[in-house]
Amino acid sequence: MDDDTSKKIIVFGAGGRVGRAAVAEAAARGHRVTAVVRDPARHPDLGRPGVTVARGDVTDPESVAALAAGHDAAVHASARLDVPSEEYFAATAKALLSGLTAARVGRLLTLGIATTLEDAAGARLMDAPDFPAAWRAFAQGHVVEFALLTAEAGPDLDWLMVVPPLDLDAEAEPTGGYRTAVGTVVDGPGRIAHADLALALLDEIEAPRHSRVQLAVSAAESGSPSGSGSESDSGSAPVSESAPTPVSESTLTPTPAPTPASD
């Protein structure tokens, strides 16, 4: 990428799988990346040409502002499973709103969770009567985050919540593309590879197409053009899995006792 089109991108939660994929995709496209983690010593492999690893706290507006100064866009891909979900995502939303605005960063992409999306009947997946209470409590954190962004983001900070499907598969083969829908689950198999999710994130940074909504992202269908997203024709049918498949940084945990997530 030419110097006049490259961007400076800061990724909070760069030590997790989604964060790492976003860092890798941004660097591969020639952007300059600041990869923020709580403890850089735990992530010695994050550094690469074009990537600066930094210690930071995404719940602290002063830390966010100091690290984000001079950047064009931010990605928030962190989660903490040792902190109540509503508390954590409310804190990150407030810190990002304050810190990024102070740093004059114009674009924020944050990761959501598929269970907050609506199905074909217009009901959120997390509101199903048999939905596990512990998973509903985790999903509620993203609901609070979305509400805060909607209510409190000023005109100078354009934001988007990018929502992967229930099956965000670390082992899946990338397709080189993806499909999208606004506010609803994407029709078809509810899965995506981390690398394909990173494509969607970087595409929305380089050429924003959506603003201030939940953008559901799912794997491209066989034969779809690679390297670009496409709006789903229906985008409203529920995913095929009968129960959530919890995954990594910004989704649920299947373990009885939550443990700290990657930063």
Side-chain angles (χ1 to χ4, degrees):
M1 180 171 290
D2 296 335
D3 289 340
D4 59 348
T5 58
S6 68
K7 297 181 180 293
K8 290 193 69 177
I9 301 169
I10 185 167
V11 179
F12 294 95
R17 288 173 176 170
V18 173
R20 284 176 177 272
V23 168
E25 181 64 23
R29 296 189 186 199
H31 300 299
R32 291 166 292 169
V33 185
T34 300
V36 181
V37 294
R38 284 181 287 154
D39 182 4
R42 291 175 51 202
H43 307 285
D45 58 328
L46 265 180
R48 66 183 70 191
V51 177
T52 300
V53 181
R55 183 190 304 273
D57 181 358
V58 72
T59 66
D60 179 354
E62 293 185 359
S63 176
V64 171
L67 290 167
H71 289 74
D72 300 295
V75 175
H76 174 220
S78 74
R80 290 284 298 273
L81 301 183
D82 58 336
V83 177
S85 180
E86 289 191 46
E87 176 185 332
Y88 183 74
F89 287 108
T92 60
K94 292 176 181 178
L96 288 164
L97 285 167
S98 175
L100 295 180
T101 300
R104 298 185 179 181
V105 175
R107 180 75 163 162
L108 165 65
L109 271 64
T110 187
L111 269 291
I113 186 170
T115 52
T116 65
L117 297 171
E118 293 182 354
D119 61 17
R124 295 186 306 183
L125 304 184
M126 63 182 286
D127 293 333
D130 58 348
F131 194 83
W135 294 2
R136 183 180 293 110
F138 186 86
Q140 184 62 28
H142 289 283
V143 174
V144 169
E145 178 187 21
F146 185 79
L148 284 168
L149 292 172
T150 300
E152 299 184 13
D156 295 329
L157 180 61
D158 187 29
W159 61 271
L160 178 68
M161 180 173 280
V162 178
V163 185
L166 295 175
D167 187 0
L168 178 56
D169 190 353
E171 306 300 325
E173 286 294 325
T175 65
Y178 55 89
R179 295 171 298 134
T180 62
V182 175
T184 66
V185 294
V186 182
D187 191 15
R191 64 178 63 92
I192 197 170
H194 288 80
D196 289 340
L197 178 59
L199 291 178
L201 292 169
L202 268 295
D203 285 352
E204 281 287 346
I205 288 175
E206 292 182 349
R209 297 177 57 217
H210 301 88
S211 177
R212 299 173 184 254
V213 296
Q214 284 184 304
L215 182 68
V217 179
S218 193
E221 295 177 326
S222 300
S224 296
S226 63
S228 63
S230 61
E231 295 288 342
S232 172
D233 290 336
S234 60
S236 59
V239 293
S240 58
E241 290 79 5
S242 59
T245 303
V247 289
S248 84
E249 298 76 25
S250 61
T251 53
L252 310 173
T253 174
T255 56
T259 55
S262 299
D263 45 8

